[in-house]
Amino acid sequence: MSTDNPLFSGNEENTGFKTAGQVAYDIISEKILAGVFEPGMKLSRRKMAELTGVSVIPVIDALNRLEEDGLVESKPQWGSFVTTPTRKKIIEMYMLREAIECQVARILADGMTSEQEKILREIAKPLDNIKFAKETHVDIAKYHYQFHSRLTDFTGCSTLQNALRKTSLFYILYKAVGHTRADYTQESRYWHELLLDEIVSGDKDRAEQAMRAHINESYEAILKDI
């Protein structure tokens, strides 16, 4: 992924001026989420400054933000390390994600506009038709993040947006380090488009049930994998 496209920075449309801290954040986060920086890898401040082309102070700011996002862990007197997705962390992440996204589905079932639906379908179509393979995981992560982030954005609730962002980043981290589902062919085609159909039905219970099934399908496969 190019650092000109801060896909996971939380502001995909902002391609203007970036602070040194934002530059460092974008570069380091992209390498973590692409699996270049593997779980447990130490992120030396000096080396990260050399890599990103900024001074140590902005790197410290970036690492602090990454720790808030759950992508980095800080160990006293040892430094910063890429988060290791343990079984416990994965289970807790899915519990939180289910709670957030089922609520999002209920909210949008009661008020998604036709323009919002159009935007989501434009993301869902390529997402549902990308061939699942090691070399496409970055593209899949991109569309998956955009789809679920947009859903949450359309609720207008910043608390839900921030919480969903963290669970999405952790999910992408998990997928990037090789913890892939044993049989991708089991995934339904048009997975996200069918989910949208249920949400725009206007039935809150139906929308929530569809979202829960959507989340649990991947959750059950991942539990088998770990």
Side-chain angles (χ1 to χ4, degrees):
M1 286 180 291
S2 167
T3 55
D4 292 331
N5 180 18
L7 174 61
F8 305 112
S9 68
N11 190 5
E12 293 86 350
E13 296 178 357
N14 181 12
T15 57
F17 173 77
K18 295 181 184 179
T19 64
Q22 185 65 49
V23 169
Y25 176 93
D26 288 346
I27 294 174
I28 298 171
S29 64
E30 285 171 2
K31 290 191 177 297
I32 292 173
L33 294 170
V36 177
F37 290 171
E38 298 181 348
M41 174 182 167
K42 183 173 182 178
L43 302 174
S44 161
R45 294 175 179 179
R46 180 179 59 79
K47 290 182 179 179
M48 292 303 102
E50 292 175 357
L51 171 73
T52 59
V54 302
S55 67
V56 171
I57 298 301
V59 165
I60 293 173
D61 175 63
L63 291 174
N64 287 336
R65 288 180 57 195
L66 288 164
E67 185 172 357
E68 291 177 2
D69 286 342
L71 297 180
V72 166
E73 297 173 319
S74 178
K75 299 180 182 180
Q77 300 183 2
W78 287 92
S80 300
F81 300 79
V82 178
T83 295
T84 299
T86 63
R87 181 182 179 87
K88 182 175 184 293
K89 290 176 182 176
I90 292 166
I91 291 173
E92 290 178 351
M93 179 272 289
Y94 262 93
M95 290 172 63
L96 179 58
R97 183 185 167 197
E98 181 177 353
I100 296 166
E101 298 216 61
C102 284
Q103 182 61 30
V104 168
R106 292 188 68 86
I107 293 171
L108 294 183
D110 193 37
M112 183 186 292
T113 68
S114 58
E115 181 60 30
Q116 290 171 342
E117 180 185 352
K118 179 182 177 182
I119 291 171
L120 289 166
R121 290 197 184 278
E122 288 175 350
I123 302 171
K125 186 172 182 179
L127 172 57
D128 286 341
N129 287 280
I130 293 176
K131 180 180 179 181
F132 292 102
K134 183 178 180 180
E135 61 271 18
T136 62
H137 83 82
V138 171
D139 287 333
I140 293 171
K142 168 185 174 181
Y143 287 115
H144 189 273
Y145 181 87
Q146 288 180 344
F147 180 84
H148 287 277
S149 293
R150 282 292 191 179
L151 270 176
T152 311
D153 288 346
F154 291 152
T155 67
C157 178
S158 60
T159 300
L160 288 174
Q161 292 166 13
N162 293 332
L164 189 280
R165 181 169 182 272
K166 290 184 179 182
T167 66
S168 294
L169 289 174
F170 187 86
Y171 174 81
I172 296 166
L173 168 65
Y174 170 80
K175 299 300 293 181
V177 299
H179 297 284
T180 56
R181 280 167 273 196
D183 185 1
Y184 277 116
T185 61
Q186 292 179 0
E187 280 197 348
S188 306
R189 305 312 298 160
Y190 312 112
W191 215 26
H192 295 81
E193 290 187 89
L194 290 172
L195 173 61
L196 271 178
D197 290 342
E198 296 301 296
I199 293 175
V200 300
S201 71
D203 186 320
K204 292 183 179 181
D205 292 337
R206 183 173 156 186
E208 179 181 346
Q209 290 170 7
M211 180 63 81
R212 181 168 284 107
H214 178 84
I215 293 170
N216 286 339
E217 184 172 347
S218 63
Y219 178 49
E220 290 170 4
I222 283 176
L223 282 182
K224 292 179 183 178
D225 190 38
I226 60 175

